[in-house]
Amino acid sequence: MKSFVATAFAAATAAAVALGAAEARELRLSHQWSNQDVRHKVAQMVADEVAKANVGLEIKIYGSKSLFKPREQYKPLSRGQLDMTVLPLAYAAGQQPAYNLTLMPGLVKNHDHAARLVRSPFMKELEKKMAEDDVMVLVHGYLAGGFAGKDKCITGPEDVKGLQMRAAGKSFEQMLAGAGASIASMASSEIYNAFQTGVLDGANTSSSSFVSYRIYEVASCYTPAGDVALWFMYQPLLMNKSTFESLTPEQRKALRDAAAKAEAFYLEEAKKQDAESVEVFRKAGVEIAEMTPEDFEAWREIARRTSYKAFVEEVPDGQRLLDLALSVE
């Protein structure tokens, strides 16, 4: 009898071990940034917290464009060929034009406003569109940016008239053109040389890009994200929805808990990046200009006539989505 009990116990133990092994999963997470970037740190925090939970789940991170090109991550994510990514959602506007609202001038005023926006009916509507592509949000996050001027400060629309400007995204180009600027399209990495050679008079991009590309060496004035900022870009950590639903309840809980911690970190770090960029420019002897609420409203009025109008014309439910976004105080 003892021998039978021992054999049965051993069999049950082996079955449990086999079940645990079957449930152990490795997820692939892709992004375009270095391991010093805040977006990598958000991904790493999720991976580390999930590992600590000891639920048979490992997240392997492929950074610096090593797995997919920056703008080619959403499609494989939606097809289940990639499990997770940290992505500027506007990159996927070709699949879902509504995503252009996540890089729209004047839609977000500051980081606290961004935090309210991600909990609003507006974001729920965007998440419904993601679900159509079998995609879901794990970590919400917005990053801010500002203006740099080669020879002068840029705060209000009148400051860009007649200037050659680089903007981040189609909507910003439309607004700047509406204010009387000429547009030169290029990557953030090309701003430095364009300032040096006189190709550009001013540029608009994220706080982190202004620092990482050393624009403080070639600019005379910097308008950072402060109490109000014109440039905000939604850059969440996304996951394939079917992959998430295929995990065990314990694994899903571990991911949710890790994501909540990473989201709080992301918000605080985004605020820090803006403040740190000001110090970098100031130490380099660059003049610091502040955008006022009046400047912000003047820009938004031009955006209404240009970027917002174009969005509504191009997206079937664009007016409803835009109104939802603008309704968040």
Side-chain angles (χ1 to χ4, degrees):
M1 183 67 180
K2 285 181 181 178
S3 176
F4 172 79
V5 171
T7 302
F9 177 77
T13 301
V17 169
L19 181 62
E23 290 175 348
R25 297 279 294 276
E26 179 182 282
L27 304 178
R28 297 189 307 162
L29 190 159
S30 167
H31 68 67
Q32 71 192 70
W33 297 283
S34 75
N35 60 10
Q36 300 303 310
D37 190 276
V38 63
R39 289 154 288 198
H40 171 79
K41 292 175 183 177
V42 166
Q44 191 65 59
M45 179 176 283
V46 171
D48 292 344
E49 291 297 313
V50 166
K52 281 184 204 172
N54 196 25
V55 290
L57 190 63
E58 181 186 357
I59 299 171
K60 189 168 183 182
I61 300 172
Y62 297 83
S64 301
K65 305 176 281 188
S66 59
L67 196 59
F68 292 100
K69 292 178 180 178
R71 293 180 180 272
E72 295 175 4
Q73 297 175 99
Y74 186 84
K75 194 170 282 186
L77 180 75
S78 69
R79 292 174 175 173
Q81 298 160 344
L82 175 65
D83 301 306
M84 305 167 77
T85 183
V86 188
L87 179 81
L89 192 63
Y91 283 6
Q95 283 77 35
Q96 291 280 2
Y99 295 166
N100 275 320
L101 275 179
T102 63
L103 181 57
M104 184 69 71
L107 216 61
V108 185
K109 295 179 182 177
N110 53 46
H111 287 289
D112 292 332
H113 185 209
R116 293 191 294 275
L117 202 67
V118 300
R119 301 290 171 226
S120 72
F122 161 69
M123 190 56 68
K124 295 299 179 194
E125 289 299 311
L126 287 191
E127 288 182 282
K128 285 180 187 176
K129 292 186 181 295
M130 292 181 221
E132 293 171 10
D133 296 331
D134 202 22
V135 170
M136 59 179 281
V137 179
L138 268 183
V139 179
H140 292 285
Y142 270 93
L143 291 178
F147 284 105
K150 187 171 81 74
D151 300 312
K152 62 180 285 192
C153 294
I154 299 169
T155 55
E158 67 283 355
D159 297 323
V160 302
K161 190 172 183 180
L163 298 189
Q164 190 78 15
M165 296 288 299
R166 182 268 179 191
K170 180 176 73 171
S171 298
F172 277 85
E173 290 180 349
Q174 291 166 337
M175 181 195 66
L176 287 170
S182 298
I183 305 300
S185 297
M186 64 184 72
S188 295
S189 56
E190 297 172 28
I191 294 172
Y192 188 102
N193 285 340
F195 266 45
Q196 269 193 324
T197 57
V199 170
L200 279 183
D201 300 306
N204 179 233
T205 191
S206 68
S207 303
S208 56
S209 290
F210 274 130
V211 173
S212 62
Y213 294 124
R214 308 190 325 276
I215 309 305
Y216 50 86
E217 294 180 357
V218 289
S220 67
C221 190
Y222 178 49
T223 308
D227 293 336
V228 291
L230 199 64
W231 193 98
F232 271 87
M233 190 176 196
Y234 181 59
Q235 305 189 43
L237 193 163
L238 303 175
M239 185 167 183
N240 178 270
K241 194 168 181 288
S242 292
T243 299
F244 180 82
E245 290 168 352
S246 73
L247 301 176
T248 67
E250 293 78 16
Q251 289 169 339
R252 292 198 297 269
K253 182 179 185 302
L255 268 172
R256 290 289 195 196
D257 291 347
K261 185 171 182 179
E263 189 165 305
F265 167 81
Y266 202 177
L267 177 59
E268 289 309 308
E269 285 299 305
K271 291 178 179 179
K272 275 189 202 173
Q273 284 198 346
D274 298 337
E276 288 170 0
S277 72
V278 174
E279 289 310 304
V280 170
F281 273 79
R282 184 173 281 129
K283 284 179 183 175
V286 177
E287 182 181 353
I288 307 298
E290 296 292 335
M291 183 177 290
T292 67
E294 292 74 23
D295 291 327
F296 179 88
E297 289 303 328
W299 280 115
R300 186 186 259 188
E301 184 53 41
I302 293 173
R304 285 191 183 98
R305 301 196 306 264
T306 56
S307 313
Y308 297 5
K309 183 174 181 287
F311 177 80
V312 169
E313 289 170 352
E314 292 166 8
V315 180
D317 57 346
Q319 187 65 62
R320 183 179 67 86
L321 291 170
L322 179 63
D323 289 343
L324 280 173
L326 291 171
S327 71
V328 179
E329 294 294 327

